[in-house]
Amino acid sequence: SCVSRPDIMFVRRLSCQVATVSLLVHTHALRMPFARGSTVRMAASNAATLPKQETGISALLDAQPEADGRGTLVAVLDTGCDLAAAGLQETSDGRPKYVDFIDCTGGGDIDTSKKVKPAEDGTLEGLSGRTLKLGGWAEGVDEFRLGALRLYGLGSMPTSVLRRLKEERKAAFVMQHQAAVSAVQRELDGLADGAPKEAKRDLELRLEQYDAMMDGYTDHGPLLDVLLWRQQPSGVWQAVIDVDGEGDLSAAEPMAPYAHARQVGDMGHGSALTYCVQVYDEGERLSVVTDAGSHGTHVAGIVAANFALDSALNGVAPGAQVLACKIGDGRLGSAETGTGLVRALIAAKARGCDLINLSYGEPAWQHDSGRVAETFTAAVRKWGMCVFTSAGNDGPALSSLGSPGALSAPICVGAYVSPAMMAEQYSMLPVADVSGASYSFSSRGPTPDGFMPSLCAPGGAIAPVPRHALQGKAQYHGTSMSSPNACGVAACVLSALKQAGLSVGPIELRRALEKSARPIESEPFAQGAGLINAPAALAYALEHHGKPAQDLPFALSVPSRGGARGIYLRDAAELQGPLTFGVLVQPLFEHAATRTAAEVEELLSLELQLQLGPTAPWVTTPASMVLLSAKERGGQTFTVRLDPSTLPPGAHFAAVQAVDATDPARGPLFSLPITVVIPHAISPPPPLGALTPAQLETAGDETAAPPALSFPLTLQGGVPVRRFISVPESAEWAKVTLRSGRMANGPHAVLLHAVPSARGDLPNTACQTKRMLQLRELSEEVVQLPVRGGATLELCMQLSWLANPAPATLDAEVEFHSYGARGRAMHAPTTRIGSADAFARIEVGAPLRTERLAPEAELTAAERALRPSSSTITAGSAELDVLPPSDAELRAAADAPGEQIHSMLLQYSFDVAPEGDAKEQPVLARVQSLHEQLYDAPLDSMLWRLDDANGQTLQYGGAMHDAAETKLKKGSYSISVLLRHPDRAQLTALKELPLLLRMPLPMPLDCVVHGGRGAASKGGHGGHEAVAEGWVRRGGHKDLYVCKPTTELPKWVSAGDVLTGHVALDKGSKEATKLPLAFEAPPAPVKKAEAADDDGDEEDEEVVGAALDEEAMACAKEARLVQEDVDELERSVFRARLQRLRAPRQGA
């Protein structure tokens, strides 16, 4: 996934009840709608470019042309959309395609709290310092609100547009610069020999100035003034943005916010970047809404593009309308934030959306938990919206699902590619035998707790992209494309149901889609129930609508496995002993705080006669159960017994299905997924005690080591081949060797994906290894990868069908290694040298085979913890940050209140003092305790902002990914951290939350590794040398002593800072053998007073000199204090002027 970034393989506001807003945009207002049919017509259109045949949507629309999504509203939670993109202007029945466009991240917010009155001559001074000439639209307005927008500001425009604009502006500057230089040079060359020296020197100085201008070229971008006011007596907010940056607004034309009049502005300057506006908090904030990249427009086009002149170019549901919700924050490189996600779900409910598509994803530590995850559950079960989300692009190995694909409430969609798509979208070379399959990148189940994807849909499309991309369409592939395809199918099915007069909720719709899906592969790990099937889903929904519990969700869990949502046995140790599990079933009724009579009756009337049955003979279940509401007991249980003793090595899937005994045709009402992995056997090493004397002589040789596991592989294009290997208890890493044979059709691209464990204690991305290998004939590739002792390692290999889909044969060999230093943990504990210690001790051995020992240790960065200097908790926006009441609450009381989300702002301060010749110090900030958590985070959101002493914002960072290091000059800086949660007490508990600063060292500091304590204690003095390269024989042992650095620490390192780096036990295989290293910085050395001189006369002279020095020092101190007062006054004046010029963009 485009981390996070959108799940796209090949790369990388809430609509509130406020007064209507109009925007006046000088010279760049775009009149909507645009002319139809603006797309360049192709000679022929192929349906596989935006697949519809594969899902049966073409057949459905042939039978019911008006079931094309009309009457449905889809919220697209993404990077935002280009409101002017071709194909996204109108629905098939003439309604506006977009109902609104909302920036849910806050990245486009402008502070418009400053109020001014216009001068009598119809002008006023903007925050840029320009005199703004107003137009006739300002007549009768006695008060304006001022704001400013830096066009190049963080988050103001997509990175690709910003880069292009800077290149174009610099090219224009260079052209003008060269012309000016040439003119002066011609004048200089034309001087006569007797010309005055002053004239020649003047021209030479001008050339020098031109050179200096070129050397110092910097483009901060235009600063655009913003005016906002409320029109009377209508109460309509109106605004104007000086996009030309010239101050003349007399010709500006009114433009309302998109929901009011669907008007769109263009940021100008050749950007082709469109935008709309929103106004919040009674005019205190103006939100300028732009997209953060092309991803969102492409997704919206897959769902609902409508080309009136060529229906073959249409999206899946051309009749559907779209609510565009920007959750990709431009300040974070378009990564999603919890703030954006939660606000978008609130907005979708406020707008009455039927469906939601989210084509984003991140790794997760704890699946199906966290504040954002809870909000998605509420969106489906409490607010009645059906959510589709991408499975992620981290396949093809098992247990690679991230979030939100791993959440229970959304429909998780994997990516499928058909032979027609291969040919049309990728121009694949002809091949005799190729079948449709899941894309290799599509993430697979099960999650560590056994959960599986829901279904799959076509995962590639040629669809519209923003105009600022300077192309009308693009081909993207990823699960980002499969999710909107499935969402579009659901819109068409829902459209047909609405036209039939049926009201179908998200649970019933999901049941129809899953029960009618068509399996297309032998394994379900990527496809779930199968390929979505529009006609079959509609037929199922029509046939079974209104039947008992058809719209009732059920929660299944296995209490003995920590409440897991399925059964997933992977390690050999789990397959031993009793394999009997209790399963808890809970019907999930939604109700008001005080149940109504109808809700009570719903509980009392539930009585389902269920037939229980497994889908595989190695699973045994009871024959039946009578399911009641079971509120008194918290659910009902049944027992499952597994007998995997006859299963061959590999991954095996089964399900326990509960079918209505009175109506088996509607399929299972719930299913329990079961996955069992049978590892391939590997011989353990012989114990040393069992060896003969002759064998003991060579116990360190490979003859006594465990044999390498070898196996042949036959790879077919697009089909993953899996090998599961039980890893020796003491193993720490493995060496995988792949050898190719003859290749009649040329080289092959093979994806190797290794997942060492799926125990759920860390995301798969934190321990997996992925390599795309280019294998040539009779070649060899070696990959080293981490493993977990006692766990089951999956080696998954898949042949790419794109370049050479012909079958290939390989020989694989796996050899395990260990120093016995890490234990069974995937992440080794840190080797720590205390501030008062001289060294740290590491015990190494060779439990599996003789290992090479060539240690190397170095420190590369300093880490510093900061405490906040202040904390402020406030209620969030009443328009954006109130979670709506559930549908059940609203049925009971129409005025039921929502739940307020609160924000806490923490302030941190620090200084930077680069050392030596360095003018800048790179700094990386991180909220360590909340890092790498988003959907499973305990808070709604976390966002930080780095400012310099003048208040200029230098960098933003989020919860999930590290921001780029920021190079800071000497000075003082501050970091503001914004946390959000509905419970103020939860925020109060985090008032002292530490912040981590990570600062790379100018040069790595070497830490010598000794082989004895004595040498380490003396720091190597006395002739002791560092450990030399050598070997540790199998069964042998050696102690290593990693010493503190002998070189002086940088002066900016303070006591309490922690220097971090690594110890590599074999510097030739650093990645496989390194352990984390830390050194706690001690206090700085105490400066010693110089020894006294015995000469009395000299001593008297020194006393007199010292007195004079003290008097001089006092005078210098007084002069310095005066100068500091002057400097402070100048800084105050400068900050006051700067405050008028800059546009504070504090609203995270």
Side-chain angles (χ1 to χ4, degrees):
S1 85
C2 177
V3 176
S4 120
R5 294 146 174 132
D7 283 332
I8 181 167
M9 186 62 182
F10 72 94
V11 290
R12 82 136 181 65
R13 243 159 233 266
L14 171 60
S15 172
C16 49
Q17 303 301 318
V18 296
T20 304
V21 187
S22 294
L23 175 68
L24 305 180
V25 181
H26 178 43
T27 72
H28 292 288
L30 301 180
R31 295 300 186 178
M32 304 293 288
F34 285 83
R36 301 181 187 177
S38 57
T39 299
V40 177
R41 294 293 302 275
M42 304 296 291
S45 296
N46 192 296
T49 58
L50 205 159
K52 309 181 194 70
Q53 299 284 354
E54 289 82 351
T55 62
I57 203 69
S58 297
L60 175 61
L61 295 184
D62 286 343
Q64 297 179 245
E66 293 189 354
D68 62 353
R70 63 189 66 184
T72 64
L73 178 57
V74 180
V76 175
L77 279 56
D78 217 286
T79 59
C81 301
D82 182 358
L83 299 174
L88 290 168
Q89 302 310 306
E90 286 187 347
T91 65
S92 57
D93 56 349
R95 292 171 300 152
K97 178 59 67 176
Y98 290 104
V99 299
D100 209 350
F101 183 15
I102 306 158
D103 183 356
C104 301
T105 69
D109 288 359
I110 296 174
D111 184 348
T112 50
S113 59
K114 183 177 178 58
K115 301 176 184 179
V116 297
K117 294 184 180 298
E120 294 182 359
D121 61 355
T123 64
L124 57 80
E125 184 179 352
L127 292 182
S128 69
R130 300 188 192 97
T131 298
L132 305 180
K133 181 181 179 182
L134 311 182
W137 43 263
E139 293 181 6
V141 181
D142 59 1
E143 184 179 76
F144 290 91
R145 290 173 175 268
L146 300 184
L149 168 66
R150 176 72 69 180
L151 189 61
Y152 289 3
L154 295 172
S156 295
M157 61 173 55
T159 304
S160 59
V161 180
L162 177 59
R163 181 170 56 248
R164 174 167 60 83
L165 255 62
K166 285 189 172 182
E167 290 173 353
E168 292 172 353
R169 285 165 61 93
K170 184 171 184 179
F173 175 84
V174 169
M175 186 178 299
Q176 294 177 355
H177 179 269
Q178 290 175 344
V181 170
S182 298
V184 174
Q185 189 65 56
R186 282 195 300 271
E187 188 176 351
L188 182 61
D189 294 341
L191 289 178
D193 292 339
K197 293 183 179 180
E198 292 78 3
K200 182 179 180 181
R201 181 56 183 159
D202 179 67
L203 293 174
E204 290 174 342
L205 287 174
R206 288 169 63 185
L207 288 176
E208 291 175 7
Q209 289 298 314
Y210 280 134
D211 289 343
M213 289 174 61
M214 191 69 254
D215 293 340
Y217 175 85
T218 302
D219 185 6
H220 294 292
L223 182 64
L224 312 179
D225 280 295
V226 175
L227 300 182
L228 180 67
W229 71 98
R230 175 169 268 163
Q231 188 71 37
Q232 298 300 337
S234 65
V236 175
W237 285 103
Q238 295 186 337
V240 58
I241 299 179
D242 181 19
V243 293
D244 283 342
E246 296 175 351
D248 186 358
L249 306 177
S250 58
E253 300 178 5
M255 188 178 82
Y258 197 75
H260 176 68
R262 295 180 176 85
Q263 294 167 299
V264 182
D266 187 309
M267 280 296 182
H269 304 278
S271 66
L273 178 65
T274 56
Y275 70 96
C276 66
V277 296
Q278 307 286 352
V279 174
Y280 302 113
D281 303 332
E282 288 299 306
E284 294 290 300
R285 272 191 293 163
L286 172 70
S287 176
V288 178
V289 190
T290 65
D291 69 76
S294 60
H295 191 268
T297 303
H298 196 271
V299 166
I302 294 174
V303 175
N306 176 56
F307 290 90
L309 299 182
D310 190 349
S311 61
L313 301 177
N314 285 350
V316 179
Q321 289 186 288
V322 173
L323 170 66
C325 296
K326 179 180 176 180
I327 56 94
D329 198 323
R331 298 169 294 183
L332 305 178
S334 82
E336 78 270 49
T337 65
T339 297
L341 290 164
V342 172
R343 284 179 171 177
L345 293 175
I346 295 172
K349 178 58 178 174
R351 283 292 186 179
C353 290
D354 303 288
L355 306 167
I356 294 172
N357 185 83
L358 174 63
S359 290
Y360 266 70
E362 304 290 355
W365 293 80
Q366 303 175 62
H367 296 291
D368 216 31
S369 67
R371 278 292 307 151
V372 175
E374 292 169 4
T375 310
F376 273 97
T377 300
V380 175
R381 295 177 182 166
K382 294 184 178 181
W383 305 338
M385 298 179 290
C386 192
V387 179
F388 290 80
T389 187
S390 48
N393 298 330
D394 205 25
L398 302 189
S399 304
S400 50
L401 274 180
S403 282
L407 305 183
S408 296
I411 295 176
C412 173
V413 187
Y416 166 80
V417 58
S418 67
M421 293 168 61
M422 295 177 188
E424 295 300 323
Q425 293 191 35
Y426 302 96
S427 303
M428 185 183 74
L429 293 171
V431 63
D433 184 19
V434 63
S435 302
S438 295
Y439 276 97
S440 61
F441 56 73
S442 190
S443 292
R444 267 68 169 178
T447 60
D449 70 339
F451 188 73
M452 297 287 288
S454 307
L455 42 79
C456 67
I462 297 176
V465 291
R467 297 184 319 135
H468 61 66
L470 304 185
Q471 63 185 72
K473 293 185 176 183
Q475 195 282 334
Y476 294 172
H477 58 222
T479 56
S480 278
M481 284 63 250
S482 61
S483 182
N485 194 299
C487 187
V489 170
C492 293
V493 172
L494 196 59
S495 178
L497 293 171
K498 287 187 176 186
Q499 292 167 31
L502 301 182
S503 177
V504 175
I507 305 303
E508 188 173 356
L509 178 60
R510 176 174 185 163
R511 189 162 277 140
L513 297 173
E514 292 181 348
K515 303 316 173 200
S516 61
R518 177 171 58 89
I520 44 92
E521 293 180 321
S522 59
E523 63 175 36
F525 304 115
Q527 67 172 339
L531 182 63
I532 196 169
N533 187 331
L538 176 58
Y540 180 97
L542 290 171
E543 180 180 356
H544 301 296
H545 175 69
K547 293 183 177 180
Q550 190 68 9
D551 60 350
L552 180 65
F554 299 89
L556 274 68
S557 61
V558 184
S560 64
R561 296 184 68 81
R565 294 169 290 172
I567 298 174
Y568 183 19
L569 305 179
R570 178 173 170 127
D571 296 340
E574 296 181 298
L575 301 177
Q576 303 172 4
L579 295 179
T580 301
F581 305 92
V583 180
L584 178 65
V585 183
Q586 295 172 295
L588 301 176
F589 295 94
E590 292 301 329
H591 59 84
T594 301
R595 285 190 173 89
T596 64
E599 291 169 347
V600 172
E601 183 59 32
E602 183 182 24
L603 290 170
L604 297 176
S605 63
L606 181 68
E607 185 173 340
L608 297 173
Q609 304 290 331
L610 300 178
Q611 293 178 346
L612 299 179
T615 61
W618 46 273
V619 181
T620 304
T621 67
S624 63
M625 74 179 299
V626 178
L627 184 63
L628 309 173
S629 65
K631 299 299 291 184
E632 184 179 46
R633 295 183 295 170
Q636 290 178 235
T637 60
F638 65 89
T639 301
V640 174
R641 180 177 295 117
L642 308 183
D643 181 14
S645 59
T646 61
L647 297 177
H652 306 272
F653 180 81
V656 176
Q657 299 180 336
V659 177
D660 185 352
T662 65
D663 189 6
R666 61 174 171 150
L669 292 177
F670 59 80
S671 299
L672 177 76
I674 303 173
T675 304
V676 173
V677 171
I678 306 297
H680 295 79
I682 180 170
S683 302
L688 292 179
L691 301 181
T692 65
Q695 289 174 322
L696 284 173
E697 286 295 323
T698 58
D701 298 337
E702 299 306 311
T703 55
L709 179 64
S710 300
F711 46 86
L713 297 168
T714 300
L715 305 182
Q716 303 285 339
V719 180
V721 174
R722 310 181 192 280
R723 290 294 182 270
F724 298 94
I725 303 169
S726 188
V727 177
E729 290 285 343
S730 56
E732 294 176 338
W733 83 97
K735 183 175 77 172
V736 178
T737 304
L738 298 177
R739 300 183 179 91
S740 63
R742 296 291 180 183
M743 294 180 176
N745 293 309
H748 282 281
V750 176
L751 175 62
L752 169 66
H753 189 188
V755 175
S757 175
R759 296 182 178 175
D761 51 355
L762 75 169
N764 67 293
T765 53
C767 59
Q768 70 182 12
T769 301
K770 295 184 80 169
R771 297 283 190 278
M772 180 60 79
L773 306 175
Q774 300 297 325
L775 294 180
R776 300 185 178 276
E777 189 175 61
L778 302 176
S779 64
E780 179 177 288
E781 291 283 348
V782 178
V783 178
Q784 292 185 325
L785 49 94
V787 298
R788 167 175 269 163
T792 295
L793 165 71
E794 179 189 359
L795 289 179
C796 181
M797 281 149 284
Q798 184 160 340
L799 181 68
S800 171
W801 46 260
L802 184 56
N804 184 3
T809 58
L810 302 174
D811 287 318
E813 182 179 278
V814 181
E815 185 178 272
F816 293 104
H817 294 262
S818 177
Y819 288 107
R822 195 183 71 202
R824 297 178 63 180
M826 283 304 306
H827 290 172
T830 300
T831 300
R832 184 171 295 272
I833 306 173
S835 60
D837 296 330
F839 57 83
R841 178 172 173 268
I842 303 176
E843 298 181 12
V844 298
L848 295 178
R849 53 178 27 88
T850 297
E851 303 289 0
R852 182 174 183 268
L853 187 65
E856 174 188 80
E858 63 180 14
L859 300 169
T860 56
E863 295 182 351
R864 179 176 302 166
L866 304 178
R867 288 284 194 179
S869 57
S870 66
S871 62
T872 306
I873 300 178
T874 57
S877 169
E879 300 157 347
L880 300 170
D881 300 321
V882 177
L883 297 165
S886 68
D887 291 348
E889 289 287 359
L890 291 173
R891 286 193 295 268
D895 60 348
E899 184 179 18
Q900 178 70 59
I901 298 173
H902 301 276
S903 300
M904 179 168 69
L905 190 66
L906 301 176
Q907 298 284 357
Y908 303 80
S909 300
F910 65 98
D911 295 323
V912 169
E915 185 175 344
D917 296 333
K919 297 181 179 180
E920 297 175 322
Q921 172 63 53
V923 174
L924 183 149
R926 180 192 297 165
V927 182
Q928 187 72 20
S929 62
L930 300 175
H931 188 55
E932 294 183 331
Q933 296 181 87
L934 202 161
Y935 297 91
D936 57 341
L939 303 179
D940 285 43
S941 186
M942 189 281 288
L943 183 74
W944 59 258
R945 186 187 70 241
L946 170 64
D947 296 334
D948 64 15
N950 296 317
Q952 180 183 359
T953 298
L954 306 177
Q955 183 66 281
Y956 285 93
M960 197 63 218
H961 306 284
D962 276 327
E965 292 177 349
T966 308
K967 295 182 178 180
L968 303 180
K969 297 179 180 179
K970 181 178 181 179
S972 298
Y973 298 87
S974 65
I975 293 179
S976 304
V977 174
L978 182 71
L979 307 177
R980 287 162 46 93
H981 197 277
D983 186 356
R984 291 177 70 99
Q986 176 65 69
L987 296 175
T988 301
L990 297 173
K991 287 196 305 182
E992 299 299 328
L993 182 69
L995 175 75
L996 177 72
L997 293 183
R998 186 180 187 277
M999 297 163 283
L1001 299 176
M1003 293 290 291
L1005 299 179
D1006 292 330
C1007 297
V1008 179
V1009 181
H1010 289 285
R1013 181 185 176 95
S1017 299
K1018 295 187 293 183
H1021 293 291
H1024 296 284
E1025 296 182 356
V1027 174
E1029 295 184 16
W1031 298 87
V1032 180
R1033 292 164 60 90
R1034 178 172 177 253
H1037 173 86
K1038 188 170 185 62
D1039 292 334
L1040 300 179
Y1041 295 85
V1042 183
C1043 294
K1044 65 181 181 181
T1046 55
T1047 55
E1048 185 178 352
L1049 303 182
K1051 294 180 180 178
W1052 52 262
V1053 174
S1054 304
D1057 289 353
V1058 178
L1059 279 67
T1060 60
H1062 66 267
V1063 181
L1065 299 180
D1066 179 4
K1067 59 187 177 183
S1069 300
K1070 186 176 297 185
E1071 289 302 314
T1073 67
K1074 68 181 182 182
L1075 308 172
L1077 174 66
F1079 170 51
E1080 299 171 357
V1086 178
K1087 293 184 178 180
K1088 304 294 190 298
E1090 295 183 3
D1093 196 308
D1094 292 334
D1095 190 321
D1097 293 338
E1098 291 182 2
E1099 181 176 342
D1100 292 341
E1101 292 176 1
E1102 289 173 1
V1103 170
V1104 173
L1108 293 175
D1109 288 344
E1110 288 179 2
E1111 182 178 357
M1113 289 172 62
C1115 293
K1117 181 178 180 181
E1118 182 177 356
R1120 186 172 65 254
L1121 291 175
V1122 172
Q1123 184 61 44
E1124 287 176 355
D1125 290 341
V1126 173
D1127 292 344
E1128 179 57 30
L1129 179 60
E1130 290 179 351
R1131 283 194 294 268
S1132 299
V1133 173
F1134 176 78
R1135 282 195 292 266
R1137 290 178 177 173
L1138 183 62
Q1139 184 65 23
R1140 297 171 58 195
L1141 294 177
R1142 75 185 193 92
R1145 298 178 60 183
Q1146 311 292 337

